[in-house]
Amino acid sequence: KTAAEYRTKRHNIETQLDGINNTLRQAKDDRRKDKEEERILNAIGALKRHFPGVKGRLVDLCRPSQQRYNLAVTVAGGKDMDAIVVDTKRTATDCIKYLRDQRIGTATFLPLDSIQVPSSESTERLRAMAENDKRYRLAADVIRVSDESNR
Protein backbone atom coordinates (compact mmCIF):
# COMPACT_ATOMS: atom_id res chain seq x y z
CA LYS A 1 0.00 0.00 0.00
CA THR A 2 1.04 3.54 -0.61
CA ALA A 3 1.63 6.25 1.96
CA ALA A 4 -1.43 8.13 0.69
CA GLU A 5 -3.66 5.11 1.41
CA TYR A 6 -2.27 4.86 4.95
CA ARG A 7 -2.85 8.58 5.52
CA THR A 8 -6.43 8.25 4.27
CA LYS A 9 -7.03 5.21 6.49
CA ARG A 10 -5.49 7.01 9.49
CA HIS A 11 -7.63 10.09 8.83
CA ASN A 12 -10.79 7.92 8.70
CA ILE A 13 -9.86 6.19 11.97
CA GLU A 14 -9.15 9.54 13.68
CA THR A 15 -12.50 10.86 12.45
CA GLN A 16 -14.27 7.80 13.90
CA LEU A 17 -12.34 8.20 17.15
CA ASP A 18 -13.39 11.87 17.40
CA GLY A 19 -17.02 10.83 16.92
CA ILE A 20 -16.74 8.18 19.63
CA ASN A 21 -15.06 10.64 22.02
CA ASN A 22 -17.84 13.20 21.40
CA THR A 23 -20.49 10.56 22.09
CA LEU A 24 -18.71 9.51 25.28
CA ARG A 25 -18.37 13.13 26.43
CA GLN A 26 -22.08 13.70 25.78
CA ALA A 27 -23.01 10.56 27.72
CA LYS A 28 -20.89 11.66 30.70
CA ASP A 29 -22.51 15.10 30.61
CA ASP A 30 -25.99 13.57 30.45
CA ARG A 31 -25.19 11.32 33.41
CA ARG A 32 -23.90 14.30 35.40
CA LYS A 33 -27.08 16.26 34.60
CA ASP A 34 -29.24 13.29 35.59
CA LYS A 35 -27.46 13.02 38.96
CA GLU A 36 -27.87 16.76 39.53
CA GLU A 37 -31.58 16.55 38.62
CA GLU A 38 -32.02 13.62 41.02
CA ARG A 39 -30.25 15.54 43.79
CA ILE A 40 -32.53 18.55 43.25
CA LEU A 41 -35.67 16.39 43.22
CA ASN A 42 -34.58 14.65 46.43
CA ALA A 43 -33.95 18.03 48.08
CA ILE A 44 -37.40 19.27 47.02
CA GLY A 45 -38.96 16.06 48.35
CA ALA A 46 -37.26 16.62 51.70
CA LEU A 47 -38.41 20.24 51.78
CA LYS A 48 -42.01 19.19 51.01
CA ARG A 49 -41.93 16.68 53.87
CA HIS A 50 -40.64 19.25 56.36
CA PHE A 51 -42.48 22.35 55.17
CA PRO A 52 -46.12 22.12 53.97
CA GLY A 53 -45.84 25.50 52.17
CA VAL A 54 -43.42 24.12 49.55
CA LYS A 55 -45.25 23.75 46.23
CA GLY A 56 -42.44 22.53 43.94
CA ARG A 57 -40.26 23.82 41.13
CA LEU A 58 -41.75 26.42 38.82
CA VAL A 59 -40.84 24.27 35.78
CA ASP A 60 -42.91 21.41 37.25
CA LEU A 61 -45.87 23.60 38.24
CA CYS A 62 -46.23 25.67 35.06
CA ARG A 63 -46.55 23.92 31.72
CA PRO A 64 -47.20 25.46 28.32
CA SER A 65 -50.75 24.89 27.11
CA GLN A 66 -49.35 23.68 23.78
CA GLN A 67 -45.98 22.16 22.88
CA ARG A 68 -45.20 25.00 20.48
CA TYR A 69 -45.04 27.44 23.42
CA ASN A 70 -42.43 25.41 25.31
CA LEU A 71 -39.43 27.52 24.31
CA ALA A 72 -41.31 30.80 24.81
CA VAL A 73 -42.42 29.79 28.32
CA THR A 74 -38.90 28.69 29.21
CA VAL A 75 -37.43 31.98 27.97
CA ALA A 76 -40.12 33.99 29.80
CA GLY A 77 -39.38 32.11 33.03
CA GLY A 78 -35.64 32.52 32.57
CA LYS A 79 -33.43 31.47 35.44
CA ASP A 80 -36.46 31.27 37.73
CA MET A 81 -37.80 28.16 35.97
CA ASP A 82 -35.74 26.05 38.42
CA ALA A 83 -36.82 28.14 41.42
CA ILE A 84 -38.84 26.51 44.18
CA VAL A 85 -42.30 27.98 44.72
CA VAL A 86 -43.32 28.41 48.37
CA ASP A 87 -46.34 30.01 50.03
CA THR A 88 -44.60 32.67 52.15
CA LYS A 89 -41.30 34.44 52.70
CA ARG A 90 -41.13 32.73 56.10
CA THR A 91 -41.30 29.30 54.45
CA ALA A 92 -38.54 30.35 52.03
CA THR A 93 -36.35 31.49 54.92
CA ASP A 94 -36.97 28.22 56.80
CA CYS A 95 -36.16 26.21 53.65
CA ILE A 96 -32.91 28.11 53.12
CA LYS A 97 -31.92 27.46 56.73
CA TYR A 98 -32.79 23.76 56.33
CA LEU A 99 -30.75 23.46 53.12
CA ARG A 100 -27.80 25.16 54.83
CA ASP A 101 -28.06 23.02 57.98
CA GLN A 102 -28.31 19.80 55.97
CA ARG A 103 -25.54 20.94 53.58
CA ILE A 104 -27.76 20.08 50.63
CA GLY A 105 -26.89 23.12 48.54
CA THR A 106 -28.53 26.34 47.47
CA ALA A 107 -31.77 27.13 45.69
CA THR A 108 -33.80 30.10 44.54
CA PHE A 109 -37.23 30.49 46.15
CA LEU A 110 -40.34 32.28 44.86
CA PRO A 111 -42.66 33.14 47.77
CA LEU A 112 -46.22 33.52 46.50
CA ASP A 113 -47.00 36.19 49.10
CA SER A 114 -44.37 38.52 47.63
CA ILE A 115 -45.13 38.14 43.93
CA GLN A 116 -46.56 41.33 42.48
CA VAL A 117 -49.51 40.55 40.24
CA PRO A 118 -50.23 43.19 37.59
CA SER A 119 -53.61 44.87 37.72
CA SER A 120 -56.34 43.41 35.54
CA GLU A 121 -56.51 46.73 33.64
CA SER A 122 -52.87 46.59 32.58
CA THR A 123 -53.19 42.90 31.67
CA GLU A 124 -56.24 43.58 29.53
CA ARG A 125 -54.48 46.52 27.87
CA LEU A 126 -51.53 44.27 26.95
CA ARG A 127 -53.89 41.53 25.80
CA ALA A 128 -55.70 44.02 23.53
CA MET A 129 -52.38 45.14 22.05
CA ALA A 130 -51.43 41.50 21.41
CA GLU A 131 -54.80 40.85 19.75
CA ASN A 132 -53.95 43.41 17.05
CA ASP A 133 -50.85 41.44 16.10
CA LYS A 134 -51.63 37.72 16.03
CA ARG A 135 -47.92 36.81 16.38
CA TYR A 136 -47.91 37.67 20.09
CA ARG A 137 -49.66 36.19 23.13
CA LEU A 138 -49.29 36.89 26.81
CA ALA A 139 -47.29 34.24 28.64
CA ALA A 140 -50.10 34.02 31.19
CA ASP A 141 -52.45 32.96 28.39
CA VAL A 142 -50.31 30.02 27.25
CA ILE A 143 -49.33 28.55 30.63
CA ARG A 144 -51.26 25.88 32.50
CA VAL A 145 -50.67 25.97 36.24
CA SER A 146 -51.14 22.86 38.35
CA ASP A 147 -54.00 23.04 40.85
CA GLU A 148 -51.78 22.67 43.92
CA SER A 149 -49.98 25.94 43.22
CA ASN A 150 -53.05 28.10 42.60
CA ARG A 151 -53.80 30.51 45.35
Side-chain angles (χ1 to χ4, degrees), residues 18-143:
D18 285 344
I20 291 169
N21 282 333
N22 285 338
T23 303
L24 183 60
R25 220 178 349 268
Q26 184 66 41
K28 285 180 181 177
D29 188 49
D30 289 346
R31 189 171 64 188
R32 182 188 57 77
K33 286 179 182 174
D34 287 345
K35 284 183 180 178
E36 178 70 13
E37 182 78 10
E38 183 178 343
R39 187 186 68 78
I40 290 170
L41 292 176
N42 287 338
I44 292 172
L47 290 172
K48 282 183 172 183
R49 285 191 298 279
H50 288 85
F51 305 102
V54 175
K55 307 295 185 187
R57 284 189 314 171
L58 186 61
V59 69
D60 299 327
L61 299 172
C62 298
R63 298 278 185 202
S65 59
Q66 297 177 17
Q67 186 68 30
R68 66 182 177 165
Y69 298 125
N70 205 7
L71 178 61
V73 169
T74 303
V75 169
K79 65 178 176 49
D80 289 332
M81 287 303 284
D82 284 327
I84 301 170
V85 178
V86 295
D87 56 355
T88 64
K89 287 181 185 179
R90 176 70 188 164
T91 301
T93 304
D94 291 344
C95 288
I96 292 168
K97 183 177 180 339
Y98 176 81
L99 291 176
R100 187 180 308 128
D101 291 346
Q102 299 298 313
R103 298 176 189 231
I104 294 175
T106 61
T108 301
F109 292 89
L110 294 175
L112 292 175
D113 67 344
S114 67
I115 293 177
Q116 296 178 357
V117 180
S119 68
S120 58
E121 295 85 28
S122 64
T123 303
E124 288 306 317
R125 189 171 51 248
L126 288 171
R127 190 171 283 123
M129 289 169 51
E131 285 290 319
N132 293 335
D133 190 342
K134 297 295 184 193
R135 295 178 298 169
Y136 304 109
R137 301 206 41 201
L138 293 182
D141 293 341
V142 298
I143 294 175

